Structure formats: C-alpha cells, structure tokens
C-alpha cells in the first residue's frame, strides 16, 4: 500500500509540473484524504502573475477519490453516483464540470490526424474562468437536446494545425466521423487538461447518466466556502 501511495504521489507531482492549473495540490491534503471516502483539493495557479488565464482559481476545486481507489490509479476520478450527489445535494458547491480525454481522428477537407481531445461539460470554462480569444467557449444552453456537436480549439493547436486562421470559427471539422462546429479558440496558455488540443462538449447530464464513466471533475465553490468545508460536506454525503 505504501509503495502504491508513493507511486501515486510521484505521478501526481509529474502531472502537476505539466499542468499549471493543477500545481501545488498540498501533500497534506492527500495524506488526510486517505482516511476518508472522497474529498476535494483546492486548485492553485502556480504561475500567478505570469499570464496564465485561469481567473477563478481561488474558488475552483478538483474532486478526488481516496482509499482503495488510489490503488487503481484513479486519483481524481469519482464515480458518477458520487458526483450526482455532489451536484444535487451539496451546499458548498455552486457548479460542477466534468471532463474525459481521448484521442480521435480529426479530418478536414485537406488532411487527417489524431487529436488529443477533452470532452468537457459546459461549466468547465466558467469554473476555470477561461475565455475565448476568438469566437466563444461553451455555455449552459449548448447542453440542450438537439444542439449541434461543437468544438473549441486550443490556441497552440489553432496556430500549428490551422495556421492561426480566424476563419476556422464557424467551419465544421470531423472527429471520428462525426461533424463538429468550431465555435471558438481559447486564449493562449489555457490548455486544460495539459496537452489537450481541443475541447468537445459532453453535457453533465449525459456524463452522470453513464454509469461506466469515470470522469475528472472540477467544481466552483459557493462564496465563503473553502476546500475544507466542501471536503467535510462531501465526506458526510
């Protein structure tokens, strides 16, 4: 068990170095969390003052699962049943956003390539406080039934794959054969999770209805709430 925890800590630290938005998750929070079923950790911005664009970082938290789940390497993954309770019963959580990553084949009229994609719920950009440099990011109304499939590009991917063509907004790309409308490009240094090249939209309702899903999850705390009070509340739930 000790070796497993140390391995998880090393993995977490490597991930934190790679992802500015997840830097400095306190090891103390991890150590305390091992004794409970679920918890949250504050999401801190390492390079504050260095141009990173995450604006709600003081109120954003990441969910994690502890105890036996640690051995499975699911440090940030909660079951959808646990997330559903957090969404509907928590008084310290204002909104919840989920994400799942995958590699998909992206096709345009001229070429095809594998792209590293995060399927995020509409709340994720709002929780992080991240904006679009051109076009827009997802909003809650995009999760309504019948809405078209949409994509938001990272700034780096827009520049390297689409030659910084502002005309990409409003065009359609194909991801694993499914057309997606490009609605925006994120501001620079806003890649989340690390190295993700574009976002697609997967509604929170769809994620919570998928019992096989193990999404990552972020939340925005209510005004005055802290990661400690949220952890206590979720552990009680």
């Amino acid at each position: 068990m000790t070796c497993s925890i140390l391995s998880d800590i090393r993995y977490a630290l490597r991930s934190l170095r790679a992802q500015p938005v997840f830097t400095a998750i306190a090891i103390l929070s991890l150590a305390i969390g091992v004794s409970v079923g679920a918890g949250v950790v504050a999401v801190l911005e390492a390079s504050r003052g260095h141009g990173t664009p995450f604006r709600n970082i003081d109120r954003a938290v990441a969910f994690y699962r502890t105890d036996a789940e640690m051995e499975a390497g699911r440090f940030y993954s909660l079951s959808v049943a646990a997330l559903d309770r957090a969404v509907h019963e928590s008084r310290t959580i204002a909104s919840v956003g989920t994400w799942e990553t995958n590699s998909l084949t992206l096709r345009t009229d001229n070429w095809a390539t594998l792209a590293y994609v995060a399927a995020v719920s509409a709340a994720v950009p709002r929780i992080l406080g991240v904006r679009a440099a051109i076009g827009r990011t997802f909003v809650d109304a995009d999760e309504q039934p019948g809405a078209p499939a949409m994509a938001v590009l990272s700034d780096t991917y827009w520049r390297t794959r689409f030659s910084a063509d502002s005309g990409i907004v409003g065009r359609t790309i194909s991801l694993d054969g499914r057309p997606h409308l490009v609605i925006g490009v994120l501001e620079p240094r806003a890649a989340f999770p690390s190295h993700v090249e574009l976002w697609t939209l997967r509604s929170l309702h769809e994620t919570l209805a998928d019992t096989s899903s193990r999404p990552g999850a972020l939340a925005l705390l209510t005004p005055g709430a802290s990661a400690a009070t949220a952890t206590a509340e979720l552990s009680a739930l």
Side-chain angles (χ1 to χ4, degrees), residues 106-108 111 153-154 156-168 171-173 182 197-198:
L106 184 150
R107 294 181 183 275
T108 66
W111 46 264
L153 308 179
S154 74
T156 298
Y157 199 61
W158 173 58
R159 294 179 186 280
T160 57
R161 283 294 180 183
F162 296 95
S163 303
D165 178 10
S166 60
I168 188 62
R171 283 167 48 189
T172 298
I173 59 175
V182 178
E197 294 167 316
L198 64 147

Side-chain angles (χ1 to χ4, degrees), residues 60-166:
V61 294
F63 290 97
Y64 67 92
R65 176 73 182 176
T66 58
D67 54 79
E69 294 290 315
M70 294 280 289
E71 297 187 50
R74 301 189 185 105
F75 184 71
Y76 284 115
S77 297
L78 290 182
S79 69
V80 292
L83 284 176
D84 188 73
R85 296 200 70 178
V87 169
H88 293 104
E89 300 181 38
S90 171
R91 296 183 179 182
T92 60
I93 300 299
S95 58
V96 171
T98 55
W99 79 89
E100 297 174 83
T101 56
N102 202 358
S103 293
L104 304 178
T105 300
L106 184 150
R107 294 181 183 275
T108 66
D109 295 336
N110 303 316
W111 46 264
T113 186
L114 279 179
Y116 188 34
V117 179
V120 306
S121 65
V124 166
R126 183 175 70 251
I127 290 170
L128 294 174
V130 68
R131 300 169 184 164
I134 59 174
R136 66 176 180 86
T137 62
F138 302 128
V139 295
D140 290 342
D142 294 332
E143 294 194 355
Q144 297 302 314
M150 302 175 190
V152 175
L153 308 179
S154 74
D155 176 77
T156 298
Y157 199 61
W158 173 58
R159 294 179 186 280
T160 57
R161 283 294 180 183
F162 296 95
S163 303
D165 178 10
S166 60

Side-chain angles (χ1 to χ4, degrees), residues 12-28:
L13 290 176
R14 288 197 299 272
S15 299
L16 296 177
R17 283 194 295 269
Q19 299 191 64
V21 71
F22 272 145
T23 34
I25 291 181
I27 297 302
L28 178 60

Side-chain angles (χ1 to χ4, degrees), residues 197-221:
E197 294 167 316
L198 64 147
W199 286 346
T200 59
L201 182 66
R202 191 185 195 208
S203 72
L204 180 62
H205 175 77
E206 183 180 357
T207 296
L208 295 180
D210 182 0
T211 56
S212 65
S213 180
R214 299 301 301 239
L218 293 172
L220 192 65
L221 297 175

